[in-house]
Amino acid sequence: DQQVKQNSPSLSVQEGRISILNCDYTNSMFDYFLWYKKYPAEGPTFLISISSIKDKNEDGRFTVFLNKSAKHLSLHIVPSQPGDSAVYFCASTNSGGSNYKLTFGKGTLLTVNP
Amino acid sequence: DGGITQSPKYLFRKEGQNVTLSCEQNLNHDAMYWYRQDPGQGLRLIYYSQIVNDFQKGDIAEGYSVSREKKESFPLTVTSAQKNPTAFYLCASRGQYPGTDTQYFGPGTRLTVL
């Protein structure tokens, strides 16, 4: 039972264009969402997060949008750069819980072509 | 520099042997986590600890054991009871206060059981 789904295993975009990575969740108790970036054989690096009290959070080239009614979030990268090529994981949690367990999606491999 | 270290980077063991993976952090974080990543899969939680001398099972704890005798250290033992131990293992830690409540990951250990 996958509570966090990233339905696109891979995405390819041209340098300078927008990359849009999508994530859906089923658990209505989730209220805090994170995106991590991961290179092969390395640990994930935290990118950006959003609380359910917001519908948008922006940090430089990265923007996360949250649609609570659709249980959907997306990560926009503008403009995309070749160094952005990596696997991106969406993660969710119930921040009111005592253990702050993160539930991860399976990831989307982003390839940015020069 | 503050951070999370995992050693070794690569580890080979014969089937039937127990092996212990190291995780150390100097971020003064209370909570620590162990995840496993398999190809094409997201990160799955093995064990977590919110405070010294306390830990709880995650979603896939069978065949693993942990200890938390010091705040800085959270070693993971992969026992011979783990049916499919070959994987990439990731350790993470999290602070308790706003601004530190994101999980931060170490570089990972690739375990191969021959």
Side-chain angles (χ1 to χ4, degrees):
Chain A
D1 176 28
Q2 259 191 288
Q3 297 187 70
V4 177
K5 297 179 183 177
Q6 295 177 256
N7 291 320
S8 297
S10 62
L11 174 68
S12 183
V13 300
Q14 285 299 119
E15 181 178 5
R17 307 292 287 268
I18 183 171
S19 296
I20 301 177
L21 296 96
N22 294 303
C23 179
D24 298 292
Y25 62 96
T26 58
N27 190 334
S28 57
M29 296 298 290
F30 288 157
D31 63 355
Y32 189 66
F33 307 88
L34 308 90
W35 284 94
Y36 286 86
K37 173 182 179 180
K38 186 182 181 300
Y39 294 117
E42 293 185 12
T45 302
F46 170 70
L47 265 182
I48 191 169
S49 62
I50 188 167
S51 166
S52 60
I53 61 173
K54 294 184 175 182
D55 54 18
K56 176 182 174 181
N57 189 26
E58 193 171 353
D59 184 1
R61 296 186 297 114
F62 302 92
T63 303
V64 56
F65 295 92
L66 176 62
N67 182 334
K68 290 186 291 292
S69 60
K71 293 190 175 67
H72 177 83
L73 61 155
S74 60
L75 174 68
H76 292 211
I77 306 174
V78 183
S80 300
Q81 300 173 353
D84 296 330
S85 297
V87 176
Y88 289 78
F89 289 101
C90 168
S92 307
T93 189
N94 174 10
S95 63
S98 61
N99 52 43
Y100 211 85
K101 290 168 58 178
L102 291 179
T103 301
F104 285 83
K106 292 187 176 183
T108 296
L109 173 62
L110 173 66
T111 303
V112 180
N113 301 303
Chain B
D1 277 3
I4 304 172
T5 57
Q6 291 185 244
S7 60
K9 181 74 173 173
Y10 298 96
L11 191 53
F12 296 88
R13 278 295 181 269
K14 291 183 179 178
E15 195 171 346
Q17 289 182 332
N18 291 357
V19 60
T20 298
L21 282 60
S22 166
C23 177
E24 304 278 332
Q25 54 98 1
N26 60 4
L27 300 166
N28 200 33
H29 286 173
D30 286 312
M32 297 186 73
Y33 305 79
W34 272 106
Y35 293 89
R36 148 179 192 147
Q37 187 193 12
D38 295 284
Q41 300 292 318
L43 280 64
R44 293 184 290 166
L45 182 65
I46 304 172
Y47 266 98
Y48 62 100
S49 167
Q50 297 189 84
I51 199 166
V52 174
N53 293 322
D54 183 59
F55 48 82
Q56 286 83 39
K57 293 181 179 180
D59 301 319
I60 54 166
E62 185 175 350
Y64 299 98
S65 65
V66 293
S67 63
R68 187 83 188 278
E69 296 176 2
K70 298 187 298 181
K71 187 175 185 176
E72 302 79 18
S73 178
F74 191 39
L76 173 75
T77 297
V78 184
T79 75
S80 55
Q82 167 51 233
K83 292 187 173 62
N84 297 297
T86 295
F88 190 52
Y89 290 87
L90 288 156
C91 178
S93 69
R94 178 182 68 84
Q96 278 187 297
Y97 303 104
T100 67
D101 52 4
T102 297
Q103 289 187 26
Y104 294 94
F105 286 83
T109 292
R110 168 76 59 187
L111 173 64
T112 302
V113 176
L114 306 171

